[in-house]
Amino acid sequence: MLQSETAPNCTAEQYEHALAPWQKAITAGNCAFENQSFYRARDHYQSALYLVSNLIAHFTHQYDRQLQEEALMHCCPALVVAAHNLADCYLAMALPHKACEQLIAVHQQLAQLGDHANPQVGSIAMRHGMRTRTELMHFIANHQTHKNLVSWATSVLNTPHSAHPYH
């Protein structure tokens, strides 16, 4: 009985430990961004995005559905933060096409994850996908002069979920 009571805390500690390198990369990226060292910030945000993407890939292929759900509850917000920080960094570097590309990539990644065989994982991904959708809509509203990017982002937002389920 005592083991089952301590397991959730141990699991939370494991997620914190797994996300520690992500947190370190985000913190370093934020510091660099604040100091207007945008190339360094970009590198840190890319590292954070890579780290959390690998964690998501790992946990989505686990057989334990509860483990999948708990892990994705921690990893999806981390994915969104890393991707949005990277997009903001690209905008600060005057690279709106890279920012748009990043926002679209994370939106599509979450949409694909929304089609996961575990409906709870899909629900978690779609909830965070709404944040990426909002960011894409802000991008469209703020970059009307970039017609090709606006068209691309709009077409992504108007495209329904992936036809290929994520299993």
Side-chain angles (χ1 to χ4, degrees):
M1 183 75 169
L2 183 60
Q3 270 187 318
S4 65
E5 289 178 6
T6 59
N9 290 336
C10 182
T11 303
E13 289 174 14
Q14 289 174 339
Y15 298 133
E16 286 179 29
H17 181 73
L19 284 167
W22 170 88
Q23 182 64 56
K24 186 175 181 178
I26 288 293
T27 301
N30 289 347
C31 184
F33 189 90
E34 288 174 16
N35 291 323
Q36 297 186 353
S37 298
F38 299 125
Y39 290 100
R40 276 194 17 225
R42 177 203 60 198
D43 293 346
H44 288 296
Y45 294 146
Q46 285 175 332
S47 294
L49 188 61
Y50 176 79
L51 290 165
V52 76
S53 293
N54 283 329
L55 286 173
I56 288 172
H58 171 76
F59 285 117
T60 55
H61 290 94
Q62 298 299 308
Y63 291 107
D64 183 338
R65 293 171 75 86
Q66 185 176 356
L67 176 64
Q68 287 177 341
E69 295 161 16
E70 290 174 1
L72 273 288
M73 287 179 66
H74 294 272
C75 291
C76 281
L79 177 72
V80 170
V81 167
H84 289 188
N85 285 9
L86 183 55
D88 288 343
C89 189
Y90 284 135
L91 289 175
M93 297 168 73
L95 298 170
H97 63 285
K98 294 294 284 181
C100 185
E101 181 180 291
Q102 184 56 59
L103 292 172
I104 287 171
V106 72
H107 184 72
Q108 289 176 326
Q109 184 177 357
L110 287 167
Q112 181 182 16
L113 197 53
D115 290 333
H116 194 275
N118 179 343
Q120 285 300 109
V121 167
S123 176
I124 293 164
M126 294 314 297
R127 183 172 53 249
H128 293 287
M130 292 305 296
R131 291 173 57 200
T132 64
R133 180 177 193 78
T134 300
E135 283 301 310
L136 274 169
M137 291 188 311
H138 285 144
F139 181 89
I140 291 166
N142 294 327
H143 295 88
Q144 290 294 314
T145 58
H146 297 94
K147 301 291 185 201
N148 290 341
L149 297 180
V150 167
S151 176
W152 184 24
T154 302
S155 71
V156 167
L157 290 177
N158 291 334
T159 302
H161 290 335
S162 165
H164 307 291
Y166 188 98
H167 294 278

